[in-house]
Every structure is written in structure tokens, then in C-alpha cells.
Amino acid sequence: MFGIVSDLSRWAIPVVLLLVPLIAMIRGVNVFEKFVEGAEDGFSTAIKTIPYLVAMLVAISVFRASGALDIVTGVCSPVLDKVGVPAEVLPHAVMRPLSGGAALGIATDIIKTHGPDSFIGRLISTMQGSSDTTFYVLTLYFGSVGISRYRYSIISGLSADFTTLIASVYVAHKLFGPI
């Protein structure tokens, strides 16, 4: 059974990459022309997103370099310790909505320090895999298409991030327990 699934997954993408242009050609679509049009649109979208991306990266760098992340961690850690959240994971929980790269760097440092099979290592891995970069998504994607009024998007995204934090802690405690 595992061999069949492995073979199917190995061939799925190449088959799709072959079938889509083949079906388009059968239907009379000029595949190369459409590909070039799509690449052109993608390039112009990438150019539009650069200012938003630079602004977001600068804001994150200022947040980390100013010591604000350390202050937030220091203020929140006594409360989180009482509910079973190790203080070491708080910088990740704060950075994850802002930057996936920064959060991954923090997760990597935590795993190097505590080990991948420790409770903290497993918790940080669960957190990394179950949350998203809310502000990055809002800044980059909304900005690139010209949406300037986010309405409830920030509240919804941060609520989802907080929910995934709680769920990650719950799942890690149930599955792995503090080792």
C-alpha cells in the first residue's frame, strides 16, 4: 500500500505538468503565448509588492533591534508560565504573525538549544506548522492589489494566530507532555 502512495505522489506533479498544456493544446489554446502573458503579469505583480515587502522587513528589524520583543517576552512570561507555556516559545509566538523567516530562525535556535525531541522543541514545531504570517499576508497581498482598508482582517488573523497558539500548547501537552 505504501509503495502505491509513494509512486502516485512521485508522479502526480509531472503528470499534471504534462496534462495541462496537452489539454490546452487540444482545445486550441496557444500555450506559449498564455505562459508568457502569465509570466508578464507575475513580474508586474512582483514589482508592485517590493515597497510593501521592504516596509514590512524594516518594521520587523526595528521591532527586534529596539528590544521591544524582549520587553513583550518579559512582561508576558510570568502569566504564561502559570498556564503551561514555556517562556522560551513566546518570542516565536510574537514574531510568527509578523515574519515567517524570523519565526523560523527563532524556532531553529530553540530547537538547537533544547533539542527536537524535547517538549519545547515539539511545541515550537507544532506552533511553526499551525500558524501563519498575518501581517506579512495583509501587507504584501492586500497592498499589492491596492486594498487599503483591511476592516476586520487584522482582528480575524490575530484571533486565528492566538487560537493556533492555544491549540498548539494543548496538543503538545496532550501528545508529548512536559518531558
Side-chain angles (χ1 to χ4, degrees), residues 80-99:
L80 292 177
D81 283 339
K82 292 182 182 185
V83 294
V85 179
E88 294 89 348
V89 302
L90 191 57
H92 181 273
V94 171
M95 286 306 295
R96 184 67 177 154
L98 299 172
S99 168

Side-chain angles (χ1 to χ4, degrees), residues 106-122:
I106 292 169
T108 302
D109 289 342
I110 290 171
I111 290 172
K112 281 182 184 175
T113 303
H114 297 280
D117 292 329
S118 67
F119 174 72
I120 293 175
R122 291 175 174 176

